[in-house]
Amino acid sequence: MLSACGQSNSESAKIEEGKVNVITSFYPVYAFTTAIGGEDANVINLLPTGVEPHDWTPKSQDIVNTSKAQLFLYNGAGLEGWVPNFLKSLNSDSQVKSVAVSDGVSLLTAEGDDGHNHGEEHEDEHAEEAEGSEDVADHHVDPHTWVSPKSAIVMAENIKNSLVEVDPDHQDGYEQRYEELRTKLEALDQRFTDELSKVSKKEIVVSHQAFGYLVRDYGLTQHAIMGLSPDAEPTGQDIVNLSKLVKEEGIKYIFFEELVSDKLAKTLAGEAGVETMVLNPVEGLTKEQEANGDDYFTLMEKNLQNLLIALK
């Protein structure tokens, strides 16, 4: 079971002797790692609840904890621009193994000025090579791999393999819990496949271009008000063009996300005479979601229900 409750972050968490200590960069990696690690792993998440990962940078305590850990798991694909400097600042005697858990996912790129593409994602065999370049990461490689259950399955396997490598004594437990998680992710993938194959509309308008993998894997197209970074600002012409598209396609809802301001989504919705609704990129939990016991699966199920309403 993936539980959102009791999420330990680096401000309060402690390294535990006698256990494999794993530091994760943000919520989805943390959620999958705690599910697979179970009682055999002490998992500490760097990002606090309610913080948007594009805006976050590590603190000195994060460096201390990670230096003492056995494993550091991050998404990769350019999401965590702070990782190269962070790894350089770890203690020289640190034995921590760092793993980008998105390795093996077929990465998408966003073409166009400043990442403001409108649904024209395509795969790029060189995307992995571009990961280290901040400019390319910001404007070309789409890092939001976990938003598709198909990619999440790849990520979960990488996490399991990493745990087994640093802690082979508990391989059986890791394998068993990974199989349970994979079964749940495959069931979620099947629900998205089955339900979204029945919808008549295929176009969605989102505030932040975070759903490239989701739309690729389930036959939809996203049109984003902003680019890959939630801080990117659209031009007035962007809003006019999107408003026209919304009217032409008969789109009824503009999607926004909880950890980012909904101002632009509401502006476009007002311009086009439509409503707004949440589509969650599952980058982190709000404090309310954490208190409610929400997790990756409940948030993705809610996404599916909202997509079905919007695409009717």
Side-chain angles (χ1 to χ4, degrees):
M1 178 66 187
L2 275 189
S3 172
C5 300
Q7 177 174 325
S8 63
N9 69 54
S10 55
E11 290 168 20
S12 58
K14 302 273 191 297
I15 293 290
E16 288 184 23
E17 295 298 327
K19 265 192 179 179
V20 62
N21 288 279
V22 186
I23 310 295
T24 57
S25 62
F26 79 132
Y27 175 71
V29 181
Y30 171 82
F32 301 154
T33 306
T34 52
I36 298 166
E39 68 275 9
D40 296 323
N42 176 43
V43 187
I44 299 171
N45 196 40
L46 292 179
L47 241 82
T49 302
V51 173
E52 211 283 328
H54 295 80
D55 301 334
W56 182 85
T57 51
K59 316 276 188 302
S60 57
Q61 187 59 46
D62 302 325
I63 294 169
V64 171
N65 280 345
T66 307
S67 294
K68 294 176 183 171
Q70 285 73 52
L71 200 52
F72 170 56
L73 301 176
Y74 64 105
N75 187 72
L79 181 75
E80 305 97 335
W82 47 267
V83 162
N85 286 336
F86 179 71
L87 293 176
K88 282 179 200 159
S89 61
L90 298 180
N91 293 351
S92 57
D93 60 350
S94 175
Q95 299 292 303
V96 70
K97 177 180 170 58
S98 62
V99 177
V101 302
S102 63
D103 280 358
V105 174
S106 183
L107 295 178
L108 288 169
T109 58
E111 293 299 319
D113 180 34
D114 201 24
H116 289 286
N117 90 309
H118 299 296
E120 296 173 16
E121 295 85 2
H122 67 259
E123 294 176 36
D124 182 351
E125 63 191 357
H126 302 299
E128 289 91 340
E129 296 166 23
E131 185 184 327
S133 160
E134 192 170 328
D135 184 59
V136 173
D138 282 348
H139 302 313
H140 295 291
V141 179
D142 183 346
H144 304 89
T145 53
W146 63 92
V147 189
S148 165
K150 287 188 195 300
S151 300
I153 291 166
V154 176
M155 294 166 68
E157 184 173 13
N158 287 336
I159 291 167
K160 181 263 293 181
N161 290 342
S162 302
L163 284 164
V164 169
E165 188 175 335
V166 299
D167 185 25
D169 290 350
H170 295 108
Q171 177 169 354
D172 290 350
Y174 296 139
E175 296 278 3
Q176 182 187 337
R177 288 184 293 266
Y178 159 70
E179 290 299 335
E180 290 167 7
L181 175 61
R182 190 182 72 175
T183 300
K184 285 183 73 176
L185 287 168
E186 285 174 346
L188 184 66
D189 169 41
Q190 196 61 53
R191 278 196 293 286
F192 268 81
T193 302
D194 293 346
E195 297 295 327
L196 291 174
S197 67
K198 299 173 192 164
V199 297
S200 54
K201 293 181 177 156
K202 302 291 182 184
E203 313 273 336
I204 62 171
V205 176
V206 298
S207 59
H208 161 208
Q209 190 177 304
F211 303 94
Y213 297 90
L214 186 76
V215 301
R216 175 185 71 182
D217 291 344
Y218 303 104
L220 307 177
T221 302
Q222 73 172 339
H223 303 275
I225 304 174
M226 296 173 278
L228 291 173
S229 164
D231 301 325
E233 285 290 333
T235 64
Q237 191 58 47
D238 287 338
I239 296 288
V240 169
N241 292 345
L242 273 173
S243 178
K244 188 172 168 219
L245 175 111
V246 166
K247 289 167 183 166
E248 284 172 358
E249 295 287 343
I251 289 165
K252 301 284 195 297
Y253 295 92
I254 309 297
F255 286 113
F256 70 96
E257 54 197 77
E258 286 115 323
L259 292 179
V260 177
S261 168
D262 63 355
K263 188 174 73 175
L264 282 167
K266 287 197 161 149
T267 299
L268 177 57
E271 180 85 19
V274 298
E275 294 180 60
T276 58
M277 190 171 10
V278 170
L279 193 63
N280 195 321
V282 202
E283 292 176 338
L285 301 175
T286 63
K287 288 189 164 59
E288 186 181 3
Q289 287 164 344
E290 189 173 54
N292 289 343
D294 275 316
D295 63 18
Y296 177 85
F297 288 97
T298 64
L299 297 181
M300 288 297 292
E301 288 283 3
K302 183 70 175 165
N303 280 346
L304 178 57
Q305 297 316 313
N306 285 354
L307 283 168
L308 293 174
I309 293 166
L311 294 169
K312 273 199 292 206

